[in-house]
Amino acid sequence: MRTKNLSRHSKWWTLPVLAVTLFFSSCQKQELTKEAEKNLTESSLENSNLFSRTGDGIPFRGGTNMLLGELKKNPYTIANMTTAWQNLASRGINFRGETSVYTTHLYVKFKPQNSDQYEQLHNDSTLGFSDYPIESTVIQNGDYYHDPSLPDSVPTYQYTSVKADYQFPKNIPYEIIDKLYIPETDNVFQYETGGTNDLFVNQLLNQAYTQTGNYEDTIALDNQPTTTASRYTPGGQIRVFDTRLQRWIGMEGVRVQARRWFVIYNGYPDFNGNYRMAHNFTRPCNYSIWFATNRFSVRHNVVNTTFWVNGPHVSGDWNYDLNNEYQRFAGHVFRGAYRYNHKDIGGLQRPYLPWRQVYVAVDGSGNSQGVNWVVLPVIRVWRYNGSFEHNSDDVFSTTCHETGHTSHVRRMGLGNGGVIQYWQVSKMLQESWPIAIEWHLTHIEYADRGIANYGEFNYIIPAPNTPGYPNEEAYQYWFKSLEPDYTTIYINLVDNFNESTVYMAGASPLDIVTGYTFSQIETVIIPYSYGLSSLSTQLKSNKPAGVTDLQIDNLLEAY
């Protein structure tokens, strides 16, 4: 029997939120030979030609605040577009349709006062926000920006354009910076591509950019009625390195944004990381990657905004590999959250909340590998410490485990009072259900990626690259004397392996129970199980064919 420390412990903390004591679950695990794992990870990444695909000359620094310079002049203001239109007319360049400059959009600076208001803003998927002014020049790139005039405890300002008839939320402060005319969105120009309308829009934009000194946005035109500027459809590939697979994989589901001033297109990489927008541009766009979906977001810390990677200002495709340690860590947190919220989860229910779940990818020391504040929509994942990276599947698995607590609360809330009921569940059952969830989901993920037996009893990887529990040997080496709370009790209801025949008879569970499904457990067992007694009652009331009450008693006796 291999020797390993199985300590994962829960703690009770108090948080003074609306005078209510909040519960959260904290998990700990001793790392397996940290130095050896770090050396392995560094060697793997170095040998994989990590920095081969940046190609844009932009230094990305995990956790580095962007430095901004002077603001550019906004070419889309009503005043500037009116002047541009008039200047074209003075040269005999006229649009023959029935339109002129009018307010199509408003350039807005939202001022969210807290995380709830920030999430409320971002629940509107029709808007594309920027953490810094859209007309900014970037002196030093980075992967976050927080306005220096604001305290760290307040989300940074959110900049975007909204349609002229937009209904502003009543509870979020905002400032209208400018009224805009965006000809690219004017419907009168949308029905002819490649003809006189297209030519006029490009001439108008060239004039507007020239008047405001944005010469880099102008393009060459030959002024022929049927000639258009060269168009491209933004796209490319986004990848992350997986230390378990020892190869690059696609960053499926992240939002890749292609922005030209106030016009934003979004693309979402597929399983292999490939993405392509639905629309095209004639001028360079600013690329960026946002670690968020409509169901969750990944952040640096609780009060910060969604984690993003700022990309280049280019025409054509953008390929990018998450190329520093923190970016990769945040990428694997995103993968775990994306699997649970959007992909195949083998019969489980989604952990959906009425609001977006917030994941904090923690860069810091500490023994806890994860914390879920089950009342607040906040999950912290501690699997990165400066330059030390845990294996990719460990980060993924931990993310699924902590999300499992949220799902458990949701299941207890189906007619039972939610969190109040969850507080009454024994610590062992609170932790053992997420253990089963992370084992189940991490197996699905890595089976999809090519390791068919990942997490099964015959999945054995020698040190120093041994996966964290419960993903090695299906956690069948569990012993109550070593870890009384993070158990295999729910795994053993589903699997068909009796560990007592391999490990110490009398110390390992006598597991001849099989046939339950995760869907069944989550639906009719979890909402009504508070301890071993009520769990036993539910299991016996819903047992599969061939399972006896005595077999259930023999299994539960080990716990």
Side-chain angles (χ1 to χ4, degrees):
M1 176 177 125
R2 65 176 44 82
T3 301
K4 68 190 305 182
N5 187 318
L6 300 179
S7 61
R8 242 181 183 172
H9 303 292
S10 288
K11 297 179 181 178
W12 289 82
W13 284 45
T14 57
L15 293 174
V17 179
L18 299 179
V20 177
T21 300
L22 307 183
F23 171 84
F24 70 88
S25 175
S26 168
C27 303
Q28 295 182 355
K29 179 167 59 178
Q30 181 177 343
E31 296 83 11
L32 294 172
T33 53
K34 269 191 177 184
E35 198 170 329
E37 186 176 333
K38 180 176 187 293
N39 291 338
L40 172 71
T41 302
E42 289 177 342
S43 173
S44 302
L45 294 172
E46 183 178 355
N47 292 337
S48 69
N49 197 16
L50 173 64
F51 298 103
S52 63
R53 300 181 66 224
T54 54
D56 304 305
I58 297 178
F60 287 86
R61 302 175 178 88
T64 300
N65 194 2
M66 294 178 66
L67 297 180
L68 304 181
E70 294 182 0
L71 297 179
K72 301 174 183 178
K73 290 184 178 180
N74 183 352
Y76 288 89
T77 65
I78 295 296
N80 186 63
M81 279 292 177
T82 299
T83 301
W85 197 295
Q86 292 170 345
N87 283 337
L88 291 182
S90 69
R91 304 200 322 258
I93 301 173
N94 294 289
F95 175 66
R96 298 180 182 179
E98 297 181 2
T99 192
S100 59
V101 174
Y102 64 99
T103 300
T104 60
H105 292 76
L106 305 172
Y107 179 24
V108 182
K109 175 183 181 180
F110 284 102
K111 305 174 181 180
Q113 303 297 293
N114 51 49
S115 181
D116 288 345
Q117 291 186 1
Y118 174 83
E119 289 300 324
Q120 181 183 343
L121 281 176
H122 283 260
N123 278 339
D124 187 344
S125 60
T126 65
L127 301 181
F129 291 96
S130 172
D131 284 1
Y132 55 92
I134 292 172
E135 67 272 38
S136 296
T137 56
V138 178
I139 295 177
Q140 176 181 292
N141 215 335
D143 42 24
Y144 77 95
Y145 178 78
H146 195 87
D147 193 293
S149 68
L150 293 172
D152 291 341
S153 59
V154 176
T156 199
Y157 300 129
Q158 298 295 289
Y159 299 86
T160 189
S161 63
V162 299
K163 291 184 177 180
D165 60 354
Y166 177 76
Q167 297 298 308
F168 286 90
K170 296 180 180 179
N171 62 322
I172 303 177
Y174 65 91
E175 170 190 342
I176 297 177
I177 299 175
D178 271 315
K179 295 180 179 180
L180 308 174
Y181 175 65
I182 306 178
E184 298 100 308
T185 67
D186 192 341
N187 288 335
V188 75
F189 296 127
Q190 300 304 305
Y191 305 106
E192 182 191 52
T193 298
T196 55
N197 286 4
D198 199 50
L199 176 60
F200 181 81
V201 169
N202 279 310
Q203 290 171 319
L204 179 62
L205 290 173
N206 269 1
Q207 184 65 37
Y209 293 140
T210 299
Q211 291 173 178
T212 51
N214 294 290
Y215 302 106
E216 71 279 6
D217 286 318
T218 61
I219 56 175
L221 297 170
D222 59 14
N223 293 333
Q224 297 301 311
T226 59
T227 301
T228 65
S230 177
R231 291 182 174 272
Y232 68 95
T233 304
Q237 186 181 46
I238 309 298
R239 304 188 303 177
V240 64
F241 189 81
D242 188 292
T243 60
R244 179 61 57 198
L245 299 169
Q246 288 293 292
R247 59 182 172 84
W248 294 97
I249 62 174
M251 268 304 302
E252 184 178 10
V254 292
R255 176 166 58 90
V256 185
Q257 178 177 289
R259 177 176 57 81
R260 274 206 40 76
W261 285 93
F262 302 100
V263 178
I264 296 174
Y265 301 144
N266 293 314
Y268 300 90
D270 61 17
F271 184 78
N272 296 311
N274 299 311
Y275 69 97
R276 186 69 57 189
M277 312 299 183
H279 306 280
N280 52 44
F281 286 128
T282 58
R283 293 166 167 80
C285 67
N286 290 92
Y287 280 101
S288 58
I289 306 168
W290 293 76
F291 288 61
T293 74
N294 63 323
R295 291 295 180 187
F296 69 90
S297 66
V298 178
R299 302 185 187 180
H300 278 292
N301 56 55
V302 174
V303 298
N304 215 324
T305 55
T306 298
F307 178 64
W308 45 264
V309 174
N310 199 43
H313 181 72
V314 294
S315 296
D317 283 4
W318 181 46
N319 300 323
Y320 187 72
D321 292 333
L322 302 183
N323 72 359
N324 70 36
E325 294 155 330
Y326 185 84
Q327 287 180 8
R328 290 190 294 271
F329 165 54
H332 295 306
V333 172
F334 181 94
R335 286 178 58 211
Y338 188 74
R339 164 65 69 176
Y340 209 151
N341 282 275
H342 295 283
K343 296 191 70 179
D344 171 32
I345 52 177
L348 290 173
Q349 299 181 54
R350 303 292 182 190
Y352 291 161
L353 294 169
W355 46 79
R356 289 200 310 181
Q357 177 78 68
V358 172
Y359 292 83
V360 179
V362 179
D363 177 359
S365 60
N367 292 324
S368 294
Q369 69 171 10
V371 168
N372 184 333
W373 281 309
V374 296
V375 175
L376 304 175
V378 175
I379 291 173
R380 291 172 177 258
V381 180
W382 266 277
R383 302 315 279 153
Y384 176 74
N385 182 7
S387 61
F388 173 66
E389 293 182 77
H390 290 260
N391 275 319
S392 306
D393 54 338
D394 188 21
V395 177
F396 180 97
S397 182
T398 298
T399 304
C400 292
H401 177 105
E402 297 306 332
T403 309
H405 288 297
T406 295
S407 189
H408 195 164
V409 174
R410 290 285 287 162
R411 306 292 78 78
M412 299 302 294
L414 300 179
N416 286 339
V419 173
I420 295 176
Q421 295 298 317
Y422 180 76
W423 286 346
Q424 300 176 49
V425 176
S426 71
K427 180 179 176 182
M428 184 188 76
L429 296 189
Q430 283 179 351
E431 294 298 345
S432 297
W433 179 232
I435 282 284
I437 286 174
E438 66 174 309
W439 172 73
H440 182 53
L441 296 186
T442 311
H443 165 76
I444 294 174
E445 175 73 12
Y446 281 87
D448 282 354
R449 294 285 180 183
I451 307 178
N453 69 329
Y454 183 95
E456 296 179 0
F457 176 70
N458 63 353
Y459 185 67
I460 304 172
I461 303 295
N465 206 27
T466 307
Y469 76 96
N471 299 315
E472 182 196 18
E473 298 182 51
Y475 196 26
Q476 297 297 292
Y477 47 82
W478 173 85
F479 291 99
K480 184 175 182 178
S481 60
L482 295 178
E483 182 48 78
D485 295 318
Y486 294 76
T487 80
T488 55
I489 191 167
Y490 291 112
I491 293 175
N492 280 337
L493 296 174
V494 175
D495 69 13
N496 59 0
F497 179 79
N498 182 5
E499 58 264 43
S500 68
T501 62
V502 175
Y503 295 106
M504 235 183 262
S508 298
L510 178 58
D511 178 19
I512 53 178
V513 174
T514 189
Y516 289 92
T517 67
F518 281 111
S519 175
Q520 177 190 21
I521 294 170
E522 191 170 48
T523 303
V524 300
I525 307 296
I526 289 297
Y528 310 103
S529 298
Y530 298 87
L532 287 178
S533 178
S534 54
L535 175 61
S536 175
T537 299
Q538 293 305 124
L539 291 176
K540 291 175 180 178
S541 298
N542 299 278
K543 58 181 179 287
V547 174
T548 68
D549 289 356
L550 179 59
Q551 290 172 339
I552 293 172
D553 289 338
N554 288 336
L555 173 63
L556 296 186
E557 185 178 357
Y559 300 99

